[in-house]
Amino acid sequence: MNSCNFVLGIDVDFLQDKDKFDYWYSQMLGERKAKIDKFRPLNSKLLSLGAGIVLKRGLDMLGFTDSVILEDQNEKPYLQGATGLEFNLSHSGKIAVCAFSDAPVGIDVQEPERFSGNLMNFVYKDEEIKYIKYRSENQSDIDRLCTKMWTMKESIMKYYGKGLSMDPRKIFIDLEHGDKAYYDGDALENIFFTEYEHEGYYITVCSRYESFSDEISFVMGE
């Protein structure tokens, strides 16, 4: 695992045990507890706590124990007063992940979902849809490619720290020519994608590094 660029992940199923949930909740700082508390669905609480766990583990590994975490105007988290460290979180289904880097980084995880024609037309450009259909033999293939491409778009939006203010419909992913990315017709320079799969989940990191991390290190619940 690269000491500067790595990804931690966690399966949050173990947090359904109330004692384990309470233990890990007690380890969180105030801002993470507030995030967890605002969710009503149990799975959302588990994912938020899971995100807090992988973030805490990574920061502890890097020597940033008990650091204060703030959010910018687009709700992208950062460490108060820290330089040379960037991180980004994502969660979906029962998986939470966190990417750490010494440069800007964005990460997204998704479990495959059904992409109807209307949803594809809303999310993807005509060129992207043509590529997806050409590379697919059935609906399952379409769903996988659509999910993969969506994680790439989300990771770009999170890399730039703009969230949905960066219109995903203006992002064009050219998978046919080396995963090139464009926004509103302009090439997005000096960004690279690293893709992972874990138990059916698709995960993409957008970073400045052609080679980010060979794999995701999954932490175990205690």
Side-chain angles (χ1 to χ4, degrees):
M1 180 171 61
N2 188 302
S3 60
C4 294
N5 305 310
F6 63 94
V7 182
L8 296 182
I10 192 168
D11 184 322
V12 303
D13 271 354
F14 80 100
L15 291 171
Q16 295 187 56
D17 182 299
K18 186 177 185 304
D19 290 338
K20 292 178 180 178
F21 182 97
D22 291 344
Y23 169 78
W24 279 108
Y25 179 87
S26 71
Q27 304 299 306
M28 297 295 104
L29 298 178
E31 71 276 356
R32 176 53 56 175
K33 287 181 177 178
K35 282 182 175 293
I36 296 167
D37 291 345
K38 77 177 183 180
F39 290 112
R40 291 188 178 276
L42 175 59
N43 194 59
S44 297
K45 287 181 177 291
L46 301 185
L47 286 170
S48 185
L49 178 52
I53 293 171
V54 288
L55 176 56
K56 175 176 171 56
R57 286 284 185 89
L59 293 178
D60 287 348
M61 290 165 56
L62 294 167
F64 289 93
T65 302
D66 296 329
S67 297
V68 176
I69 300 170
L70 304 175
E71 291 184 346
D72 63 18
Q73 66 272 21
N74 292 310
E75 299 185 354
K76 184 175 183 178
Y78 66 94
L79 291 185
Q80 184 180 45
T83 57
L85 175 64
E86 301 265 353
F87 66 90
N88 198 237
L89 291 156
S90 183
H91 48 69
S92 176
K94 62 176 185 175
I95 300 296
V97 290
C98 186
F100 299 85
S101 182
D102 56 3
V105 64
I107 189 170
D108 189 61
V109 55
Q110 297 287 337
E111 55 182 341
E113 63 176 280
R114 174 85 177 190
F115 276 79
S116 66
N118 288 339
L119 180 58
M120 289 178 67
N121 291 331
F122 180 76
V123 173
Y124 298 111
K125 293 180 175 294
D126 289 343
E127 302 96 315
E128 293 171 325
I129 294 174
K130 288 178 182 178
Y131 176 85
I132 290 168
K133 289 184 175 180
Y134 177 76
R135 293 288 181 177
S136 300
E137 295 184 358
N138 50 47
Q139 184 63 44
S140 180
D141 289 344
I142 289 174
D143 294 342
R144 284 195 294 269
L145 263 177
C146 284
T147 302
K148 170 185 173 180
M149 195 175 290
W150 181 248
T151 65
M152 296 174 77
K153 292 195 179 197
E154 284 271 13
S155 71
I156 290 172
M157 293 152 59
K158 297 175 77 174
Y159 171 92
Y160 287 103
K162 295 184 178 181
L164 288 174
S165 66
M166 188 175 189
D167 188 346
R169 290 169 294 183
K170 293 183 179 180
I171 299 174
F172 172 52
I173 305 293
D174 188 356
L175 294 178
E176 196 167 4
H177 300 95
D179 293 1
K180 301 293 184 181
Y182 301 81
Y183 186 71
D184 207 12
D186 296 325
L188 298 176
E189 304 288 354
N190 301 316
I191 62 169
F192 302 93
F193 301 104
T194 304
E195 299 167 33
Y196 312 88
E197 289 187 33
H198 177 78
E199 296 183 354
Y201 289 78
Y202 291 86
I203 302 158
T204 299
V205 169
C206 178
S207 74
R208 293 183 181 175
Y209 294 93
E210 290 188 64
S211 178
F212 192 80
S213 177
D214 291 339
E215 60 184 7
I216 296 176
S217 297
F218 273 80
V219 303
M220 303 299 294
E222 299 173 356

